[in-house]
Amino acid sequence: MKIVVAHNRYREAQPSGENTIVDSEIAQLTAAGVEVLPFIRSSDEIPSMSKVAKALLPISPIWAPRAQHDLSRLLTEHRPDVLHLHNPYPLLSPWVVRTAHRHGVPVVQTVHNYRQVCSSGIYFRDGVICQDCKGRALGVPAIRHRCYRDSAAQSALMATTLAVHRGTWRSVDRYVALTSAIADHLRDYGIPDERIVVKPNSVPDPGRPTPLGDGFLYMARLSPEKGVDLLLDAWRRHPVGALGTLRVAGDGELRPLVEAAAAERADVVYLGQLDRAGVRAAVEASAVVIAASMWHDVLPTVILEALASGRPVLGTALGGIPYLVGADAPHEPAGTGPAQVASAVAGGGGSPMPAGIGLGDAGWVVAPEPAALAAALPVARAGAPGLALTARARYERTFHPDVVTKQLIDIYAGVARTPHHV
């Protein structure tokens, strides 16, 4: 089987989980005997482009002529079975779908965000979830609020791109939804069930889990949508040392907030930005990993890292987080408040779970509110030993590279046998 993997890499100066996942997926497919033809562009190329190329950049999200020329040549020469698209912006453009179809090559796309509808891709604006552009022919609110790169002009371009390519997106042969929540998003966008497959990402197997450490780990971009300020608010509602140590890893605009908390409390430690070895060490030093997202986070890779190491997760009941910890029903929307994450009975001990805390195979979910998260922290600390084995088992069953790669190859095989949609 011969597969073109198309991806516009995000800038290396801003660490991207999506870049990492694409690299990992290419390596896993190659190891499984699939011939992978990378069709990769990088946003790091932009500063060194010629004046002519830079002049064409404003239209590239709609139509990137150089990329179409190069892709057309690749498809003609190699005649692949499938094109697998990840991020098309800004140097590839969704037009690659049309180019592939013109050559009779079916297209699979992994959906890493909400950019079929939302110009910023995250359904989050001014500190709150925003879906003002849903159902609109043109995302005028995105232009008004400068949602793309804080620029009215660039927001207008992206909103126009999404409007122009609505038909393009609806012609994709198979969508890979990373979680059940993304599958719901695609159905709402008008994609029929038969063209959606839920297939999560994976992370490498770190091997046999070490004994649980102590305390909690938060590891994410330090930005408002990732909820580090929510976590610190909840943490301060407990006496110093009552919950063990809170380790915070990452970087971003809210770094001063974390540094201040670490200076204020002996039980908060700021680790900075970590490399792969540092990530593993931080996970192993902790008992519970926290995903405090304030947006409908698609698939936080830190949760996969946690489950692979046998660490349960305490997360907000938004986006893909309930799916990842096994706290949502398959193909049903994940709830976002106390009514949807109603009480459950803890496994093993039989004591009732406090109201508002949802229990899954591999962790707990709560409403994205300081009081709810504060109430869940001691529950998670006490319950971590009881969920360590089931967290690892969920990773092995659902997120292990062997499982995920086989599922992806099956998707390719199914699409290659089916005429593409036009």
Side-chain angles (χ1 to χ4, degrees):
M1 185 177 292
K2 191 181 295 185
I3 306 298
V4 173
V5 174
H7 176 56
N8 191 127
R9 297 181 68 84
Y10 297 90
R11 293 182 183 276
E12 294 300 330
Q14 298 177 328
S16 161
E18 192 171 330
N19 285 352
T20 301
I21 289 298
V22 171
D23 293 343
S24 177
E25 205 162 83
I26 289 174
Q28 291 160 11
L29 288 168
T30 302
V34 176
E35 183 179 352
V36 177
L37 304 170
F39 185 69
I40 307 295
R41 297 292 183 270
S42 172
S43 292
D44 285 328
E45 300 169 17
I46 293 174
S48 61
M49 284 181 170
S50 67
K51 290 182 178 179
V52 173
K54 285 181 179 178
L56 292 173
L57 271 176
I59 68 165
S60 63
I62 298 176
W63 180 57
R66 179 68 183 181
Q68 308 320 308
H69 174 270
D70 291 347
L71 178 59
S72 185
R73 186 172 57 187
L74 177 70
L75 298 177
T76 299
E77 179 180 351
H78 293 280
R79 300 178 61 84
D81 298 291
V82 176
L83 182 141
H84 185 171
L85 176 63
H86 291 271
N87 173 45
Y89 300 113
L91 301 178
L92 295 182
S93 158
W95 207 281
V96 296
V97 175
R98 302 187 186 192
T99 300
H101 283 168
R102 184 164 54 84
H103 285 264
V105 178
V107 176
V108 169
Q109 193 199 8
T110 296
V111 181
H112 295 272
N113 53 45
Y114 303 97
R115 196 162 274 149
Q116 288 80 18
V117 176
C118 175
S119 290
S120 72
I122 63 174
Y123 279 152
F124 190 86
R125 175 176 60 80
D126 297 334
V128 296
I129 290 171
C130 169
Q131 297 183 338
D132 289 353
C133 292
K134 282 186 71 171
R136 292 176 178 265
L138 180 67
V140 175
I143 302 170
R144 183 185 311 121
H145 296 289
R146 306 161 66 97
C147 290
Y148 187 66
R149 298 183 178 178
D150 196 30
S151 163
Q154 292 192 61
S155 297
L157 174 63
M158 182 55 69
T160 301
T161 299
L162 300 185
V164 167
H165 283 295
R166 189 169 289 111
T168 306
W169 291 132
R170 288 177 175 163
S171 75
V172 168
D173 300 271
R174 193 78 79 248
Y175 275 106
V176 175
L178 295 178
T179 69
S180 55
I182 285 293
D184 292 331
H185 158 71
L186 290 169
R187 291 186 192 98
D188 186 62
Y189 186 65
I191 307 301
D193 278 349
E194 62 267 22
R195 283 200 269 149
I196 302 170
V197 178
V198 177
K199 182 212 72 72
N201 293 331
S202 66
V203 294
D205 189 343
R208 185 182 179 88
T210 59
L212 289 183
D214 180 55
F216 297 80
L217 171 65
Y218 170 96
M219 186 166 57
R221 185 170 58 253
L222 303 183
S223 55
E225 74 276 9
K226 287 291 188 177
V228 67
D229 46 349
L230 164 68
L231 171 58
L232 292 175
D233 189 340
W235 192 261
R236 289 189 181 98
R237 299 179 185 221
H238 295 275
V240 174
L243 298 170
T245 301
L246 171 62
R247 300 169 183 85
V248 179
D251 204 353
E253 62 190 280
L254 297 185
R255 176 175 175 170
L257 196 67
V258 177
E259 291 175 330
E264 170 193 338
R265 293 178 60 119
D267 58 355
V268 177
V269 176
Y270 177 50
L271 302 175
Q273 192 75 43
L274 301 177
D275 59 14
R276 289 295 307 163
V279 167
R280 183 167 183 181
V283 171
E284 291 183 349
S286 306
V288 178
V289 171
I290 295 177
S293 297
M294 298 291 289
W295 69 293
H296 289 290
D297 211 337
V298 175
L299 195 157
T301 303
V302 66
I303 296 181
L304 302 185
E305 302 275 5
L307 304 188
S309 296
R311 268 56 179 175
V313 173
L314 170 59
T316 49
L318 292 171
I321 296 174
Y323 166 86
L324 294 176
V325 303
D328 73 334
H331 308 301
E332 291 181 4
T336 61
Q340 289 75 31
V341 289
S343 62
V345 176
S351 56
M353 187 69 64
I357 302 176
L359 176 66
D361 294 339
W364 309 263
V365 290
V366 297
E369 301 163 358
L373 184 56
L377 287 167
V379 172
R381 190 186 189 206
L387 289 188
L389 290 178
T390 56
R392 171 67 187 186
R394 181 160 177 77
Y395 164 76
E396 292 176 349
R397 184 173 63 250
T398 308
F399 307 113
H400 192 279
D402 292 348
V403 175
V404 172
T405 302
K406 180 183 183 304
Q407 190 178 3
L408 184 55
I409 292 172
D410 288 345
I411 292 169
Y412 292 156
V415 169
R417 292 193 297 265
T418 306
H420 68 260
H421 300 269
V422 294

